[in-house]
Amino acid sequence: MPIDVPNVTESITASVSEIESALQGAHMRSLHMALVQITRDESLLTSRYSKPETLIPLALRIIESMRSAHQPLDREMLGAEFVHKMMQTMVQGNVPQEYVPMMMQQMSLLKPVNKYRNHASNFSTDLKVAVIGAGMSGILAAIRLKEAGIPFVVYEKNSEVGGTWLENSYPGCRVDVPSHFYCYSFAPNHDWSSNFSPRDELLDYFKSVVDKYDIRQHIQFQSDIKSVQYIDNGYWNLTAVGGKKETFHSVISAVGQLNRPKLPDIKGLDAFGGHLLHSAAWDEHVNLSGKKIVVIGSGASAFQLVPEIVDKARHTSVLQRSAPWLFPTPDYHDEVDIGHQWLLKHLPYYANWYRFWLFWTGCDAFLESLKVDSNWGSTHSVSAANEKLKKSVTEYMANQIHDYSLLEKIIPNYPPGAKRPLRDNGRWLSALQRDNVDLITESISQVTAKGIELREGSFIDADVIICATGFQADQFLSPMEIIGRRNLSLHEFWGNNPKAYLGMTVPNFPNLFCLYGPNTNLVHGGSIIFHSECQINYIMNCLGE
């Protein structure tokens, strides 16, 4: 998979008709801002140029002139004040001033300066860093450490990079963040095939980034770390499961939260006589065709998996404890429009502004509707704005239902935003309304050799049980033993309430850093890659102190 470079576009050789065709697939707001930045014409920041009938002919003229020009486009970056005006025009609302520097960095609208490269003198001469995990955040840490010239080793328990995208391979597995935002800001990919990419393509992306930045040579594969122990001279001893030990000045945990499958605590589960699967430890050799399948769970994994298996199964029973809110995403399974893809590759600044649009609409656009109004009286919403969102999403979900016995089962009894919502294009509720699918909300009593017994007395025959029950996300850094100053155990110190300063550092555990640590998980939107980029910037600054 090719990995692109921000602000480097391909030469325009397309014909006028080909350019016209590409413009029909444009994301209009990104196209508008790209043209403003190319021309530096502030007069284009009017509503007149937000209309396709005005914008597309203007874009065609500008792109034609760029194709005919014999000199490269002036790439001098715009000032923050102008960019702020563009942001507010694009979103048609207020963008706080404090966002501008952060977003300009994310959008690659600042002059490319690597503050770590060739500054090894800022770091201690005996500095050596261990990175635990070669998933998304571990790869990022390795890239930044290499740029800074800091010696490091990455320990990975698996035989390949990719983390959660290596380990999760269940049918239908894909990202729920738009593909063009779910990539490193410094390593965009304009060749995503889908707006929300499937697992295999995501795994290929991370492998390609590792190869592009020549990180593989620093990774010790099949190296599962058993313990991390602080020693009095300011260093850490790492011990692998096989007994190998090594000493480091600093440790960056990049083990994530989505890498240890969680089986439900149900009586008799291990006595089941059929196939017992977990969505995060999928066995592709199990044939689901013609089988009676029970899926335990209705969260993100089940939401993706169930529509993929119901065609094959003789019957599918979905056991739901808590209904998810479904937010309309019509393009969730759509391929990227070829015109849009052409513009990402060829039109300067188009990709930069598209990234900003995805960030804003996926994070702050509906943040106000999730803020709690302490004077609001309802238990099913938290404010007037949240109630409006609840009514809108409830109507969206109800309009998909023709089997009205399902209605009270699928509408959540908690406010929208209290749990991470799921992106929906109709496939989930369509699957639940098939003749060979049941949605069951009764509690489980026990599992037997032949199926599942419910508390109200009925029994579900099963050939296959699929546990789509998530991960041990509250067991941070497990199963590693982490011992800090004065022989303090991190897991005992945390108990049932893990917490860290900015989610990254913990008192009495000096130079131990967590990426994707406590209280850094996403709830209402965003991209964990963006979070990790912010976190690694902080960690690199700490290492330079």
Side-chain angles (χ1 to χ4, degrees):
M1 174 182 290
I3 303 299
D4 298 292
V5 178
N7 298 322
V8 175
T9 51
E10 297 177 14
S11 299
I12 299 173
T13 59
S15 67
V16 172
S17 62
E18 288 171 331
I19 297 171
E20 283 182 307
S21 178
L23 288 169
Q24 299 306 312
H27 180 259
M28 290 299 160
R29 298 198 194 198
S30 301
L31 178 62
H32 186 188
M33 293 305 109
L35 298 182
V36 172
Q37 185 156 358
I38 289 169
T39 61
R40 300 169 180 273
D41 185 351
E42 193 169 345
S43 70
L44 297 182
L45 292 175
T46 63
S47 58
R48 177 187 171 213
Y49 290 101
S50 65
K51 300 173 182 176
E53 58 267 27
T54 306
L55 189 62
I56 289 178
L58 173 65
L60 184 60
R61 291 196 300 272
I62 291 173
I63 295 172
E64 277 191 272
S65 66
M66 291 169 54
R67 184 187 61 174
S68 304
H70 297 295
Q71 58 187 31
L73 183 71
D74 180 9
R75 295 282 185 170
E76 184 65 28
M77 295 299 180
L78 297 176
E81 184 177 348
F82 193 4
V83 171
H84 190 207
K85 287 182 181 178
M86 294 173 69
M87 288 177 174
Q88 298 199 119
T89 300
M90 187 183 201
V91 305
Q92 298 178 4
N94 180 55
V95 175
Q97 181 71 46
E98 64 188 10
Y99 273 56
V100 178
M102 174 181 72
M103 291 315 306
M104 288 182 72
Q105 182 184 50
Q106 268 293 302
M107 297 163 66
S108 302
L109 293 184
L110 297 174
K111 289 183 179 179
V113 176
N114 189 323
K115 59 183 178 181
Y116 308 122
R117 185 175 289 134
N118 300 324
H119 287 279
S121 59
N122 293 346
F123 302 100
S124 170
T125 55
D126 62 349
L127 180 59
K128 184 181 178 184
V129 179
V131 179
I132 305 174
M136 177 278 296
S137 58
I139 293 168
L140 174 61
I143 290 170
R144 294 306 188 216
L145 290 167
K146 184 180 179 184
E147 288 174 341
I150 298 174
F152 68 96
V153 177
V154 181
Y155 294 94
E156 170 53 52
K157 72 180 190 296
N158 294 312
S159 59
E160 183 54 276
V161 302
T164 193
W165 298 113
L166 176 69
E167 296 177 359
N168 285 266
S169 60
Y170 59 85
C173 182
R174 65 175 56 225
V175 72
D176 63 357
V177 174
S179 303
H180 296 92
F181 188 32
Y182 194 82
C183 51
Y184 303 118
S185 62
F186 56 87
N189 174 28
H190 302 324
D191 284 297
W192 293 118
S193 67
S194 302
N195 293 311
F196 296 85
S197 292
R199 174 261 184 182
D200 289 354
E201 198 166 351
L202 294 161
L203 182 57
D204 285 345
Y205 169 77
F206 289 110
K207 289 179 181 179
S208 298
V209 170
V210 165
D211 293 337
K212 176 177 180 176
Y213 288 89
D214 198 21
I215 298 302
R216 197 171 290 273
Q217 61 177 312
H218 297 274
I219 304 173
Q220 293 187 15
F221 290 105
Q222 296 181 312
S223 293
D224 202 358
I225 298 302
K226 179 181 180 182
S227 66
V228 180
Q229 183 160 10
Y230 183 74
I231 48 182
D232 290 337
N233 61 358
Y235 288 82
W236 290 88
N237 280 338
L238 266 69
T239 304
V241 170
K244 181 181 177 182
K245 294 186 178 183
E246 199 161 354
T247 301
F248 295 88
H249 175 272
S250 301
V251 178
I252 299 175
S253 168
V255 298
Q257 299 178 26
L258 308 179
N259 67 329
R260 302 284 178 179
K262 181 179 181 179
L263 286 169
D265 183 14
I266 300 174
K267 179 183 176 182
L269 188 64
D270 54 0
F272 179 58
H275 293 288
L276 179 64
L277 305 176
H278 192 287
S279 56
W282 194 255
D283 185 349
E284 62 183 16
H285 297 104
V286 175
N287 183 5
L288 302 181
S289 297
K291 298 295 195 299
K292 292 172 288 185
I293 300 173
V294 173
V295 178
I296 301 176
S298 60
S301 299
F303 178 80
Q304 295 178 337
L305 186 153
V306 168
E308 298 292 327
I309 66 173
V310 291
D311 282 338
K312 301 176 183 177
R314 176 179 169 187
H315 190 276
T316 301
S317 299
V318 179
L319 302 186
Q320 173 183 279
R321 184 174 61 180
S322 177
W325 282 109
L326 310 181
F327 281 16
T329 311
D331 64 343
Y332 187 55
H333 287 89
D334 290 357
E335 293 186 353
V336 176
D337 185 280
I338 58 173
H340 178 49
Q341 193 172 68
W342 186 91
L343 290 164
L344 288 166
K345 293 181 178 182
H346 294 88
L347 184 62
Y349 308 120
Y350 178 84
N352 310 59
W353 285 100
Y354 186 56
R355 186 176 180 92
F356 170 68
W357 175 257
L358 294 176
F359 179 97
W360 185 260
T361 54
C363 298
D364 288 70
F366 68 105
L367 181 60
E368 286 300 316
S369 68
L370 307 181
K371 292 182 178 178
V372 176
D373 178 355
S374 58
N375 296 317
W376 189 252
S378 173
T379 58
H380 297 298
S381 59
V382 297
S383 67
N386 189 252
E387 177 67 18
K388 182 179 179 181
L389 175 64
K390 175 178 174 288
K391 288 180 178 178
S392 173
V393 180
T394 298
E395 182 180 8
Y396 164 76
M397 295 170 66
N399 285 342
Q400 297 182 49
I401 296 297
H402 55 77
D403 178 358
Y404 287 96
S405 66
L406 272 179
L407 195 55
E408 66 177 26
K409 294 182 179 181
I410 66 155
I411 303 299
N413 60 2
Y414 55 86
K419 297 181 181 181
R420 187 173 174 88
L422 303 179
R423 291 188 177 271
D424 179 66
N425 61 354
R427 299 184 79 216
W428 170 250
L429 294 181
S430 176
L432 295 186
Q433 294 177 89
R434 290 173 58 104
D435 291 339
N436 67 333
V437 178
D438 291 325
L439 178 64
I440 297 168
T441 55
E442 287 87 357
S443 299
I444 298 172
S445 174
Q446 65 177 340
V447 177
T448 72
K450 293 188 176 182
I452 292 181
E453 183 180 307
L454 302 178
R455 290 201 185 278
E456 48 86 23
S458 60
F459 187 82
I460 306 172
D461 263 334
D463 303 310
V464 179
I465 295 176
I466 300 173
C467 298
T469 47
F471 305 87
Q472 300 173 35
D474 58 344
Q475 302 297 311
F476 290 97
L477 280 63
S478 293
M480 293 186 296
E481 181 183 38
I482 313 292
I483 305 296
R485 283 178 172 154
R486 295 183 292 278
N487 213 35
L488 178 65
S489 164
L490 179 60
H491 298 298
E492 290 179 7
F493 176 69
W494 273 344
N496 294 323
N497 186 27
K499 54 187 175 180
Y501 177 68
L502 300 178
M504 287 181 276
T505 61
V506 184
N508 293 308
F509 296 85
N511 294 323
L512 172 70
F513 303 95
C514 300
L515 290 169
Y516 199 12
N519 301 308
T520 63
N521 212 342
L522 304 174
V523 179
H524 80 281
S527 165
I528 194 63
I529 295 182
F530 166 72
H531 282 206
S532 293
E533 288 193 18
C534 295
Q535 291 165 357
I536 198 62
N537 285 345
Y538 176 87
I539 292 170
M540 294 300 295
N541 286 329
C542 289
L543 293 177
E545 291 294 325

